[in-house]
Amino acid sequence: MRNRITVTIFILYILVFAVGSIIAKDRIFSDMENRNLAQFPEVSTKSVFSGDFSDGFEEYMSDQIIFKDFLVKLKVTENKALNQTYVNNIYFADGRYIRDYKEDTVQIDRNVGFVDEFAEANPDFNITWLMVPNACYVYEDSLPSYADVDSQAATIGHIKENVTDKINFVDVSDELVSAKDEYIYYKTDHHWTMNGAYIGYKKLCEALGREPVEKDNYKIEVASEDFLGTLYSDAPVFNADTDEIILYVNEKNSYTVDYIDKGFKQDSLYNYEKLDIKDKYQVYLDGNHAIIRIKNNSYDDTTSSNRVIVVKDSYAHSLLPLLADNYEEIIVVDLRYYHEKTVSELAHEEGISDIIFINNVDFINSDDNFLWLM
């Protein structure tokens, strides 16, 4: 009798998911995973016999299974309840999600080589490189004792040793570690908060010989209290502590942000509409773009260079609204998407000799787009 009940429940379970997945409308995009989902593959004789249809259908079923987000969250919550503190390359550490780090020295050396080559080929450029550690460095004491995380301190040291002296290399690690008890990194996302970015901004201004805007000149506002970031999406659990989105607003200045790749402009450094979606980090400069121009309409300093190109990853998004106060114009380039011309060509066309790189260690460790510098 018990076996019959078990079999019946199992069959009903299969039927619910099978019928539900057929009836439910296919989703195009997953807010949880922040990516487009696989759609039903094209059926053709060629795709069937080549195996492409089979592979595509397997991916389609995996993406479109009904209640997928709920089931993933249920599984991760169960694992965490059983004291499993490492899921999908994420450590659960004192209420914080921390991404694992495995150093790829080959990729790091390749990227540093591209930056060095860029500097050597452009001796007239003034190049500054801000390097930002990730949470696994700043909160390494919070990691489980068994955590096998490579040292980002060693990575940064390796970069320092190999970067050309033509580059003004800026390491903000010590300042961030000293402030680790403050809210400088998100608990559920891989980025630093704007509080952390402000620390990086002050360190960068010091290296550039520019006067940072003091914190009490900003209106600091909590724009959202329910942010769940990218790391949460990789290992979601029920009742996770949410993050705050903090904005620093300089009400004395006015700005124009031209999103050249998308063909629209805004008069704010923040796109407040993005606070209504899951990936609320996009509130900073509307998220990832190939190239944008930030114009400070209130800039009046004629004593120093007033235009700069920033080559960046997404860690720069919450720092650039601060740096905008120190320049009349910032051209922001993301090499993952900007391949229209090289940075060398862009800088010479624009007549700009000041170049700032803003990168986090994990990005230098994994990205392969620095070849677009030249």
Side-chain angles (χ1 to χ4, degrees):
M1 182 65 178
R2 181 178 300 174
N3 289 340
R4 186 177 301 173
I5 293 175
T6 301
V7 170
T8 301
I9 292 174
F10 179 75
I11 292 174
L12 288 174
Y13 175 86
I14 296 298
L15 284 174
V16 167
F17 279 90
V19 174
S21 296
I22 293 172
I23 294 176
K25 184 178 180 181
D26 288 348
R27 297 186 298 162
I28 303 296
F29 184 82
S30 170
D31 287 332
M32 174 68 76
E33 301 174 68
N34 195 29
R35 67 175 180 89
N36 292 322
L37 300 177
Q39 303 301 298
F40 194 85
E42 178 184 357
V43 182
S44 67
T45 302
K46 181 180 179 180
S47 67
V48 170
F49 283 99
S50 68
D52 289 345
F53 174 79
S54 176
D55 293 341
F57 185 75
E58 182 178 349
E59 184 180 2
Y60 164 78
M61 289 300 295
S62 175
D63 276 3
Q64 299 295 343
I65 185 171
I66 193 171
F67 307 136
K68 178 184 178 180
D69 291 347
F70 173 82
L71 293 173
V72 171
K73 190 181 295 185
L74 183 64
K75 177 61 176 175
V76 176
T77 301
E78 177 187 4
N79 290 342
K80 188 178 180 183
L82 295 173
N83 292 322
Q84 182 175 340
T85 56
Y86 185 71
V87 177
N88 294 336
N89 296 318
I90 305 295
Y91 287 100
F92 296 116
D94 292 343
R96 182 181 299 279
Y97 288 72
I98 298 180
R99 178 178 287 164
D100 196 2
Y101 175 73
K102 293 291 183 287
E103 184 180 73
D104 185 343
T105 308
V106 173
Q107 187 63 57
I108 291 169
D109 287 345
R110 184 179 296 124
N111 289 334
V112 172
F114 283 128
V115 178
D116 281 354
E117 183 181 354
F118 174 75
E120 297 289 347
N122 297 281
D124 54 324
F125 288 175
N126 303 309
I127 303 175
T128 302
W129 195 358
L130 176 65
M131 188 64 57
V132 186
N134 303 104
C136 65
Y137 179 112
V138 176
Y139 298 102
E140 61 180 346
D141 292 342
S142 299
L143 290 167
S145 58
Y146 66 84
D148 184 23
V149 178
D150 287 346
S151 169
Q152 288 199 347
T155 298
I156 295 173
H158 178 76
I159 296 173
K160 284 181 180 178
E161 290 177 2
N162 288 277
V163 71
T164 175
D165 58 9
K166 294 182 181 297
I167 294 174
N168 183 12
F169 187 81
V170 184
D171 176 14
V172 71
S173 301
D174 289 345
E175 288 79 4
L176 290 169
V177 170
S178 295
K180 67 179 181 179
D181 292 333
E182 303 173 24
Y183 188 51
I184 59 172
Y185 284 82
Y186 294 109
K187 295 175 294 183
T188 67
D189 192 78
H190 65 287
H191 296 103
W192 56 2
T193 68
M194 203 161 188
N195 293 333
Y198 183 79
I199 295 173
Y201 162 69
K202 291 193 72 173
K203 182 79 171 183
L204 180 60
C205 283
E206 178 185 333
L208 294 168
R210 292 178 179 260
E211 194 69 28
V213 176
E214 292 302 322
K215 190 178 289 189
D216 57 8
N217 289 315
Y218 292 101
K219 175 186 175 184
I220 301 177
E221 58 184 53
V222 177
S224 174
E225 296 180 332
D226 60 353
F227 175 44
L228 291 169
T230 54
L231 302 184
Y232 167 84
S233 296
D234 289 337
V237 297
F238 294 105
N239 299 321
D241 291 335
T242 57
D243 276 302
E244 294 179 342
I245 295 286
I246 298 170
L247 307 180
Y248 285 45
V249 180
N250 188 343
E251 297 180 308
K252 298 177 182 178
N253 289 347
S254 68
Y255 315 88
T256 301
V257 183
D258 185 359
Y259 297 100
I260 300 170
D261 57 343
K262 299 299 182 182
F264 72 97
K265 297 181 180 181
Q266 290 187 324
D267 60 0
S268 172
L269 297 165
Y270 307 106
N271 187 345
Y272 289 90
E273 292 181 0
K274 298 300 183 180
L275 295 172
D276 296 327
I277 66 175
K278 179 184 178 297
D279 186 13
K280 300 181 192 309
Y281 190 76
Q282 292 187 44
V283 69
Y284 302 106
L285 294 173
D286 196 59
N288 292 320
H289 287 271
I291 181 170
I292 64 177
R293 290 179 187 263
I294 302 173
K295 179 77 172 179
N296 179 352
N297 303 313
S298 307
Y299 188 85
D300 60 1
D301 182 4
T302 59
T303 63
S304 59
S305 175
N306 59 4
R307 301 177 70 223
V308 66
I309 291 176
V310 171
V311 182
K312 59 83 182 176
D313 60 49
S314 58
Y315 262 58
H317 295 182
S318 52
L319 189 152
L320 284 166
L322 304 167
L323 193 64
D325 289 325
N326 295 94
Y327 290 92
E328 180 180 358
E329 183 179 57
I330 301 176
I331 299 177
V332 185
V333 174
D334 192 324
L335 294 177
R336 293 172 294 179
Y337 313 106
Y338 183 73
H339 302 156
E340 180 179 339
K341 60 189 69 171
T342 68
V343 174
S344 292
E345 292 171 337
L346 177 65
H348 285 113
E349 286 183 12
E350 294 285 343
I352 295 176
S353 59
D354 289 349
I355 313 292
I356 300 173
F357 290 82
I358 301 175
N359 296 116
N360 73 87
V361 175
D362 207 28
F363 185 83
I364 299 299
N365 190 63
S366 59
D367 187 71
D368 59 0
N369 288 287
F370 281 83
L371 59 91
W372 290 100
L373 284 170
M374 297 183 57

